Amino acid sequence: MKFMYVFTIGCQMNISDADLFYRLLAPLGYMPGDSPEASDLVIVNTCAIRAKAEDKAFSFIGRLQAIKARKPGFRVGVAGCVAQQEGAKILTRAPYVDFIFGTHAIWRLPEIVTLVVQEGRRIVDVDMANELPERDGSSDGFTGAVSDFVTIMRGCDNFCTYCVVPYVRGREMSRAPEAIVEEVSRKVRAGAREITLLGQNVNSYGKKEGLPDFSELLRRVADVEGLHRLRFATSHPKDLSDDLIHAFATIPKLCSHLHLPVQSGSSAVLSRMNRKYSREHYLERIDRLRDVCPEMALGTDIIVGFPGESPEDFMNTLSLVEKVRYDSLFAFAYSDRPNARAAGFTDKVPEKIKKERLKILLDLQDGITREKNEACVGRVEEILVEGKNIRTLAPGAIHDPVAGERVTGRTEGNRLVHADPGENSSDMVGQCIRVCIDRALGHSLWGTRVA
Ligand code: 5AD
Ligand code: SF4
């Protein structure tokens, strides 16, 4: 028996691609291994979005050298955005790597691995394609996860000036709605109850290809029998249409949760980022969303220290966060990326200031998250149970809210909830249950199942 291990860094698209690697190599006899050491083949699935993610990839690749030295036949592959960006240059830095395949070579993985393993070849495949293969991701043998992902489009045409994605993932390409609905149906038959549709900018789904638009796609996917919940990521504020906002009110399976990256609260910075919307436009979209769906949970991404970001620009970001009161927020210190236009901008913000701003922003959001979580106490929420666990009391502990049998799931608004199932939980995974929230802790909620 042969084992493979995929180490993934980065976004949900990468996590979903990792699943695809396993499925593509299963017909060659590869089973998922428990660790790199216990595997015959390791793929490092990389992310290029920030310098930190790229460093993490190279440090993991570095650790594989020792395994390779003592394990004959051990093979190392590098995938994802750094593979696409750096190509053969990776071999200079890590000569023990056997194969490198870019973001458009994923479907050639079985051929690549066959050549590497059987003929001892070294392969670098970073060719870009103009279209997606017809059966992107649709194959048998799904993991059976309760909450699963389906990629609906790849690439991005927006060229935000800080972003490397258009260069490493190529132009926007959408899959046919029939192929998407088929993959969703198969995943639901394999046990999925919640599907997140993935793309860099789902709002422009199908526009280039003349396919049905994204709201129509949501309606078709929501019709899949057995599916309880539908989500999507990521949306671009400039393309968030009234029609899509309306979908939240009219498609019951569509969770009232939206990740809408704002990136900055300053219109001047947004303009230099090439985001093509202003602070005012963004806030107007948020008002509209909340008019249509008052319970809407909102998430965002923010970059601090973009070149030329003044103290006043940063204050505008803080005031926007205070105004919107997000349910979740990911904040990043700006970092230069190869090819991205902002790398050539002058007026860079010193690292020390970026760090300070990041901390101020995260502290602000922590307070909001805490208040929002505390406001959930006493409420009854529906959660989709994704797993269960039993935790025993830690030695010496007098009280541990984690002890005992627990089921874990998420609310429609994507809040993590641990709940006392109240009875045998054996058949609860994959079901929606009602939970009365008893307490709020840091980033999670705790509750008890109610009838
Ligand atoms: N520096 C810092 N953060 C970045 N992001 C994208 N590019 C950069 C960069 N060069 C952030 C954005 C995006 C998220 C996935 O990563 O906020 O939404
Ligand atoms: Fe990057 Fe902008 Fe495309 Fe998002 S929309 S992937 S931030 S270029």
Side-chain angles (χ1 to χ4, degrees):
M1 204 177 288
K2 292 181 292 186
F3 292 98
M4 65 179 279
Y5 185 89
V6 183
F7 179 75
T8 296
I9 302 163
C11 63
Q12 283 173 334
M13 184 80 80
N14 263 15
I15 297 170
S16 169
D17 283 350
D19 180 42
L20 188 52
F21 301 164
Y22 284 112
R23 283 186 280 128
L24 286 166
L25 293 183
L28 301 190
Y30 285 96
M31 308 263 294
D34 290 334
S35 65
E37 290 78 6
S39 302
D40 307 281
L41 176 75
V42 173
I43 297 174
V44 188
N45 192 15
T46 61
C47 169
I49 200 91
R50 283 171 293 276
K52 246 192 194 162
E54 194 172 327
D55 295 346
K56 191 169 162 192
F58 278 106
S59 120
F60 188 85
I61 295 167
R63 280 173 44 202
L64 300 174
Q65 186 175 15
I67 308 178
K68 180 129 187 180
R70 59 172 190 266
K71 193 166 173 180
F74 182 75
R75 308 285 183 193
V76 176
V78 181
C81 295
V82 178
Q84 188 66 49
Q85 181 183 283
E86 299 296 307
K89 278 191 263 169
I90 293 175
L91 296 176
T92 336
R93 221 165 140 175
Y96 44 89
V97 165
D98 298 285
F99 60 103
I100 293 161
F101 63 107
T103 54
H104 287 202
I106 296 177
W107 299 276
R108 291 190 288 275
L109 183 57
E111 294 154 58
I112 296 172
V113 169
T114 304
L115 289 172
V116 168
V117 172
Q118 291 181 1
E119 297 182 17
R121 299 251 299 267
R122 289 176 103 198
I123 309 260
V124 179
D125 185 347
V126 288
D127 290 347
M128 290 287 223
N130 294 323
E131 55 185 33
L132 294 172
E134 208 167 291
R135 290 181 62 79
D136 172 339
S138 302
S139 74
D140 291 328
F142 292 118
T143 55
V146 169
S147 178
D148 214 335
F149 303 99
V150 171
T151 300
I152 64 164
M153 60 197 300
R154 288 176 180 269
C156 181
D157 290 353
N158 287 314
F159 292 91
C160 301
T161 54
Y162 51 81
C163 189
V164 76
V165 167
Y167 306 96
V168 291
R169 292 251 169 203
R171 296 289 67 71
E172 259 173 30
M173 294 186 279
S174 298
R175 295 176 67 194
E178 298 76 20
I180 295 167
V181 170
E182 190 215 24
E183 189 175 335
V184 170
S185 306
R186 282 169 183 243
K187 290 195 162 173
V188 169
R189 283 202 297 275
R193 293 293 169 263
E194 173 178 281
I195 292 287
T196 303
L197 302 178
L198 292 182
Q200 305 295 348
N201 177 16
V202 293
N203 308 87
S204 56
Y205 169 81
K207 279 193 184 148
K208 263 178 160 173
E209 291 83 357
L211 296 169
D213 70 6
F214 184 57
S215 312
E216 172 59 21
L217 179 72
L218 286 173
R219 279 185 266 278
R220 292 197 195 177
V221 172
D223 282 343
V224 171
E225 218 171 296
L227 181 73
H228 293 341
R229 285 179 170 183
L230 182 56
R231 300 182 193 274
F232 59 84
T234 296
S235 286
H236 196 306
K238 79 175 161 63
D239 298 320
L240 182 63
S241 64
D242 285 340
D243 192 30
L244 182 57
I245 292 177
H246 195 60
F248 283 102
T250 53
I251 304 177
K253 288 181 189 177
L254 186 60
C255 292
S256 39
H257 168 232
L258 182 67
H259 188 69
L260 196 63
V262 67
Q263 309 299 1
S264 169
S266 150
S267 294
V269 172
L270 288 170
S271 162
R272 288 202 303 280
M273 286 176 162
N274 192 31
R275 290 291 285 176
K276 301 194 179 90
Y277 57 85
S278 62
R279 171 192 174 94
E280 290 69 31
H281 173 82
Y282 184 91
L283 288 172
E284 183 276 327
R285 292 285 82 188
I286 297 287
D287 285 346
R288 185 86 192 97
L289 272 162
R290 286 189 165 145
D291 285 346
V292 169
C293 184
E295 288 297 299
M296 182 69 74
L298 290 165
T300 204
D301 292 346
I302 289 178
I303 297 177
V304 300
F306 184 78
E309 185 189 68
S310 66
E312 197 192 349
D313 290 324
F314 178 61
M315 294 305 279
N316 283 333
T317 294
L318 295 179
S319 79
L320 182 134
V321 169
E322 273 167 346
K323 215 171 169 120
V324 177
R325 290 179 61 81
Y326 291 103
D327 297 84
S328 64
L329 183 152
F330 298 95
F332 311 100
Y334 167 79
S335 82
D336 280 342
R337 302 313 295 136
N339 298 313
R341 261 182 34 225
F345 289 5
T346 51
D347 217 1
K348 293 277 161 65
V349 174
E351 286 305 317
K352 188 169 160 280
I353 293 183
K354 283 195 247 177
K355 268 202 188 129
E356 282 168 16
R357 290 183 185 171
L358 195 60
K359 180 162 185 328
I360 294 169
L361 177 58
L362 290 172
D363 285 349
L364 171 64
Q365 181 59 35
D366 266 358
I368 296 172
T369 306
R370 206 172 324 113
E371 282 169 25
K372 287 205 153 198
N373 278 351
E374 276 159 14
C376 292
V377 174
R379 287 218 298 251
V380 172
E381 295 272 1
E382 188 183 79
I383 66 163
L384 172 64
V385 178
E386 289 181 39
K388 52 179 185 157
N389 57 30
I390 297 175
R391 292 267 295 263
T392 46
L393 212 60
I398 297 159
H399 172 71
D400 179 356
V402 195
E405 192 178 4
R406 292 283 167 184
V407 291
T408 298
R410 285 183 184 271
T411 65
E412 236 194 86
N414 215 30
R415 284 202 159 75
L416 185 66
V417 178
H418 303 281
D420 179 343
E423 58 181 77
N424 188 333
S425 63
S426 54
D427 54 359
M428 267 179 213
V429 173
Q431 292 202 20
C432 287
I433 62 168
R434 282 156 56 79
V435 172
C436 180
I437 306 299
D438 309 324
R439 61 172 90 80
L441 284 184
H443 290 273
S444 62
L445 299 173
W446 294 79
T448 311
R449 185 182 184 207
V450 292

